[in-house]
Amino acid sequence: EVKEALNAVNIEFITFWDVRGVGKATQKRIYRGIKYDTSDIERIMITFICREKYLDPAIKALLQSAKTGQVGDGKIFVSEISDGYRIRTGEQGDRSVYLEGEE
């Protein structure tokens, strides 16, 4: 759902991976009838880079598609990227992220 929601607001490429974190929340696991209590929490981390004009729509898409109402829905952090380069062509800045002809 998250990938589809982001794609609908022109976020066409995301990176995601499985991560583990430690926090106040714990998860109970049962393995062979034995309950284990662990503070390692499994999550999926998503990153993407977008132009300023896509930022608000992307945030709204994430808030709507990722929300379950349960603890662990996640957080959104916004950072500025100072520059970017496309290695293949040497393009810099916005041009390094988007294809020719996109505005």
Side-chain angles (χ1 to χ4, degrees), residues 30-99:
I30 298 175
Y31 178 71
R32 294 188 178 182
I34 300 171
K35 290 183 183 179
Y36 293 91
D37 197 16
T38 176
S39 59
D40 289 356
I41 301 170
E42 297 175 357
R43 298 284 186 252
I44 295 175
M45 185 173 187
I46 299 172
T47 61
F48 61 89
I49 296 172
C50 68
R51 292 180 174 170
E52 186 78 27
K53 68 182 181 179
Y54 298 129
L55 182 59
D56 286 337
I59 290 171
K60 288 176 185 171
L62 283 169
L63 290 172
Q64 291 173 358
S65 64
K67 183 178 181 176
T68 67
Q70 302 294 316
V71 172
D73 276 353
K75 294 178 175 58
I76 299 171
F77 298 101
V78 178
S79 300
E80 288 190 27
I81 303 297
S82 61
D83 211 348
Y85 296 85
R86 185 179 304 202
I87 295 172
R88 179 175 52 87
T89 62
E91 292 169 303
Q92 182 179 359
D94 262 5
R95 297 179 65 86
S96 70
V97 179
Y98 295 93
L99 299 174

